[in-house]
Amino acid sequence: MDSLTSILVPIHREGHRFVIIFAAVTVVLFLLWYPLGWVGVVLTLWCLYFFRDPDRVTPKREGLVISPADGVVNMITEASPPPELGLGEMRRTRVSIFMNVFNCHVNRSPIAGKVLRVAYRPGQFLNASLDKASEDNERNSLVIERADGQQIVVVQVAGLVARRIVCDVAEGKELQAGERYGIIRFGSRLDVYLPEGAIPLVAVGQTAISGETVLADSISVEPHHI
């Protein structure tokens, strides 16, 4: 029953036209050659699965930085935020989450706060698992500021087969932690630049769940053990 519930969820509105297109092609394939139609059925089901938009239960404790994407933590490094944001070259801890074509691609806000800046930059479509994808690929960046003044940078990075970054928020928008704010089609990555002093609570290779997995605790006074 749990497996069935995980599949039978609403789909993101960006997926509606794709599902219709896949279904229409499937009908044509059945008319052309019956066995080929079943290939279309499989692809249509995959399309439904790709655009799924499940509800998530987001931790609400102050200071937590929540994963904005489903996927695998494939990189934790020190890097400067995208230059188009105008935040200078001070390096911050960057947690990168790679989404393959089977992950849910709906993106969520890592913190509660106000969107101070939205910056889109066109670019290449390199494999999103590569380090240089953060610099060279098409991307859309947000600066979100919490009530205490701490800022988080979250960047949607297009991937090898991704050809559309969708961001549904504008500057001045107030977001809740875990609130949906965009989607990427069809395989990509999210970079989260943590506030100064915040230590990641995830490890490379760990699977993250959008809106639920805690990436860092930026105000905890508890000792960290690396």
Side-chain angles (χ1 to χ4, degrees):
M1 180 62 72
D2 289 341
S3 297
L4 186 61
T5 302
S6 67
I7 296 174
L8 298 178
V9 298
I11 67 170
H12 193 276
R13 65 179 181 279
E14 283 288 318
H16 293 166
R17 62 193 177 103
F18 285 94
V19 172
I20 292 172
I21 291 171
F22 274 61
V25 171
T26 297
V27 172
V28 174
L29 292 177
F30 270 120
L31 294 174
L32 292 175
W33 187 40
Y34 190 80
L36 195 58
W38 288 107
V39 176
V41 170
V42 172
L43 292 175
T44 302
L45 291 174
W46 169 80
C47 188
L48 281 165
Y49 185 69
F50 178 87
F51 284 104
R52 67 194 184 280
D53 186 10
D55 291 329
R56 297 286 165 79
V57 180
T58 302
K60 297 298 183 182
R61 202 180 92 184
E62 288 294 325
L64 297 183
V65 180
I66 309 301
S67 176
D70 283 17
V72 173
V73 178
N74 76 322
M75 211 177 307
I76 299 176
T77 188
E78 298 293 316
S80 301
E84 60 267 22
L85 292 174
L87 297 177
E89 297 185 0
M90 185 181 75
R91 297 170 73 83
R92 308 183 185 196
T93 300
R94 184 184 74 200
V95 179
S96 299
I97 302 165
F98 176 72
M99 299 179 285
N100 64 36
V101 294
F102 296 104
N103 291 128
C104 175
H105 274 52
V106 176
N107 305 140
R108 297 169 182 264
S109 176
I111 61 171
K114 183 178 182 179
V115 178
L116 294 185
R117 183 79 193 276
V118 180
Y120 169 79
R121 200 208 74 165
Q124 301 180 47
F125 298 96
L126 304 174
N127 188 326
S129 65
L130 301 176
D131 184 32
K132 61 181 179 178
S134 292
E135 298 180 6
D136 298 337
N137 281 21
E138 177 184 24
R139 62 179 179 243
N140 189 78
S141 308
L142 300 184
V143 179
I144 307 173
E145 184 175 81
R146 291 196 321 219
D148 62 4
Q150 281 199 337
Q151 295 179 353
I152 294 286
V153 175
V154 58
V155 185
Q156 297 167 294
V157 182
L160 187 64
V161 293
R163 286 297 184 271
R164 177 90 192 276
I165 293 175
V166 178
C167 179
D168 296 322
V169 299
E171 293 175 5
K173 169 73 173 177
E174 294 283 349
L175 290 172
Q176 297 300 313
E179 183 177 346
R180 299 166 177 86
Y181 81 88
I183 190 172
I184 313 177
R185 309 189 308 245
F186 285 95
S188 41
R189 166 172 144 190
L190 265 286
D191 289 339
V192 181
Y193 294 79
L194 301 176
E196 184 178 2
I199 298 176
L201 299 179
V202 290
V204 172
Q206 179 176 338
T207 297
I209 299 175
S210 175
E212 293 190 355
T213 300
V214 176
L215 299 183
D217 186 343
S218 61
I219 64 173
S220 174
V221 295
E222 300 170 5
H224 294 279
H225 302 282
I226 305 302

